[in-house]
Amino acid sequence: MSLHHHFEVRLPAWVEPFIGHWLNGGGPPLDTLEHRMLLAIALSAENVKQSTGGPFGAIVVSQETGHLAGIGVNLVTGSGLSAAHAEVVALSLAQRSAKSWDLGSTAPMQLISSCEPCAMCLGAVPWSGVASLVCGADCIDAESAGFDEGDKPLNWTQNLAARGLDVKVHVLRQEAARVLQEYAEMAGEIYNPTRGQE
């Protein structure tokens, strides 16, 4: 048996030029929640178009200035890693860039996700140090497309608020949910665990 002692998750090659286009006149500046969400949704849609993963996108920005600190798209199918959700990828790359596991150590940071976090990503949010979370589609939209969002408390937004995180949901929900719906209609891969069942 051979054990790998490291792993690396890489963003698809299309992401950097796509973001460059967005930041250089291809999209609005990241100065409002809606503009930030438009980028997260655009990433989710392009990830599907490029066949590099599931229909989810996320970014991490400076809460005050909108400076882009991290980018994530869902990489589960391409990487073979169940943890490679868009939020986890964006948070991880922002932490790598900041050289700190605590994204709140210098200035308030914000996570914007095209869909509300699943059970796994919900756990990652407070540990990352971000000050706020903004979501587009919700778990009903994701589950309607076939995804298993896991077990999480119904009052998850209040739980995060109790930890000092500001949460906003349903920002451009219709636009975000449309990507999920289109993915389901094109029979995109739904990566729920089979637990050995056929």
Side-chain angles (χ1 to χ4, degrees):
M1 180 172 72
S2 173
L3 296 177
H4 295 281
H5 298 286
H6 73 280
F7 71 91
E8 187 174 85
V9 175
R10 292 177 182 261
L11 288 173
W14 62 262
V15 172
E16 190 170 337
F18 184 83
I19 293 297
H21 172 71
W22 185 276
L23 296 179
N24 296 317
L30 303 176
D31 57 354
T32 68
L33 295 186
E34 290 75 16
H35 289 166
R36 295 169 189 181
M37 183 59 68
L38 282 172
L39 177 52
I41 294 169
L43 286 165
S44 72
E46 191 68 16
N47 202 40
V48 173
K49 180 180 175 184
Q50 297 286 341
S51 300
T52 46
F56 303 94
I59 61 173
V60 176
V61 299
S62 163
Q63 188 167 269
E64 301 305 321
T65 68
H67 173 75
L68 191 61
I71 304 159
V73 292
N74 182 285
L75 300 173
V76 172
T77 58
S79 68
L81 300 172
S82 64
H85 287 200
E87 299 96 322
V88 171
V89 172
L91 291 169
S92 299
L93 293 178
Q95 290 165 336
R96 178 61 56 88
S97 179
K99 296 182 172 52
S100 173
W101 55 267
D102 182 2
L103 290 174
S105 61
T106 55
M109 302 299 283
Q110 183 174 74
L111 172 64
I112 297 92
S113 177
S114 65
C115 187
E116 76 176 49
C118 68
M120 177 183 69
C121 295
L122 177 61
V125 170
W127 299 130
S128 70
V130 294
S132 61
L133 169 66
V134 181
C135 310
D138 63 21
C139 69
I140 294 171
D141 302 317
E143 289 171 352
S144 293
F147 291 98
D148 179 358
E149 293 298 276
D151 297 323
K152 65 182 185 182
L154 293 175
N155 59 341
W156 66 272
T157 57
Q158 293 94 326
N159 291 349
L160 288 181
R163 288 177 168 269
L165 277 86
D166 182 44
V167 181
K168 289 187 173 47
V169 297
H170 295 152
V171 175
L172 300 182
R173 178 185 179 186
Q174 185 176 4
E175 293 86 340
R178 187 177 301 120
V179 178
L180 295 167
Q181 181 181 3
E182 290 172 356
Y183 185 78
E185 289 171 356
M186 64 180 278
E189 183 175 354
I190 305 295
Y191 34 85
N192 297 335
T194 59
R195 310 222 185 283
Q197 301 169 0
E198 293 299 322

